Amino acid sequence: MRVDILNGVNLDVVGRRDPELYGGQTIQALETRIYAWASELGLRVRCRQTNSEGEYVNWCHEAMDNVDALVVNPGAWSHYSYAIRDAIDLFSGPVVEVHLSNVDEREEWRRVSVIADLTALRVIGKGPDGYREALEFLARKST
């Protein structure tokens, strides 16, 4: 199974953001762990991160013809970007939404996800291990 991991806005600076919320790990360290987990599970993954909403939308469009599943963490865009929602809606494979922090226990505006109803699974508040849970879920679906 081919999986794109699409990380969005401000995830490039997670190593500098509040470690109690985001785990204190850099995006590079997180991606290294994701690639190792994927290898263990027999998945082929590609990790991508952008602070450009348009680029994120383009990656969702590219995924339609190139991968079997998506793991998405659009960051703050999860809470209001209908452009990203529409792009994810076009994807026909399983989509897993991941958030490092527990967005359901944070500010009111973070408790809304405009993509939640498009996902096969949401994993929130588990830090970097949320990505492993997402990959394990997708590996089970592929068998």
Side-chain angles (χ1 to χ4, degrees), residues 3-34:
V3 182
D4 269 359
I5 313 289
L6 303 181
N7 286 306
V9 66
N10 293 320
L11 283 152
D12 59 323
V13 292
V14 290
R16 295 176 166 187
R17 292 181 79 184
D18 185 344
E20 288 186 26
L21 289 175
Y22 300 106
Q25 199 172 105
T26 66
I27 190 73
Q28 294 82 9
L30 175 60
E31 288 177 354
T32 297
R33 289 178 73 183
I34 289 169

Side-chain angles (χ1 to χ4, degrees), residues 27-83:
I27 190 73
Q28 294 82 9
L30 175 60
E31 288 177 354
T32 297
R33 289 178 73 183
I34 289 169
Y35 286 121
W37 292 327
S39 179
E40 290 171 15
L41 295 166
L43 301 173
R44 293 189 336 236
V45 301
R46 173 175 55 176
C47 294
R48 302 174 108 176
Q49 186 282 323
T50 185
N51 291 317
S52 167
E53 186 176 12
E55 186 170 39
Y56 200 95
V57 167
N58 287 337
W59 289 346
C60 292
H61 293 172
E62 288 175 25
M64 291 188 297
D65 298 320
N66 296 305
V67 300
D68 305 302
L70 290 174
V71 174
V72 299
N73 182 347
W77 294 325
S78 307
H79 313 298
Y80 66 87
S81 177
Y82 287 95

Side-chain angles (χ1 to χ4, degrees), residues 114-128:
V114 298
I115 64 172
D117 64 315
L118 303 176
T119 64
L121 177 69
R122 291 184 79 220
V123 183
I124 60 170
K126 296 188 177 180

Side-chain angles (χ1 to χ4, degrees), residues 58-112:
N58 287 337
W59 289 346
C60 292
H61 293 172
E62 288 175 25
M64 291 188 297
D65 298 320
N66 296 305
V67 300
D68 305 302
L70 290 174
V71 174
V72 299
N73 182 347
W77 294 325
S78 307
H79 313 298
Y80 66 87
S81 177
Y82 287 95
I84 288 174
R85 178 198 161 68
D86 287 349
I88 291 171
D89 193 29
L90 292 168
F91 186 76
S92 61
V95 177
V96 179
E97 179 181 5
V98 172
H99 292 281
L100 295 167
S101 69
N102 188 343
V103 291
D104 287 346
E105 293 181 357
R106 295 188 61 196
E107 303 91 339
E108 192 67 35
W109 64 270
R110 289 188 199 270
R111 297 176 191 173
V112 173

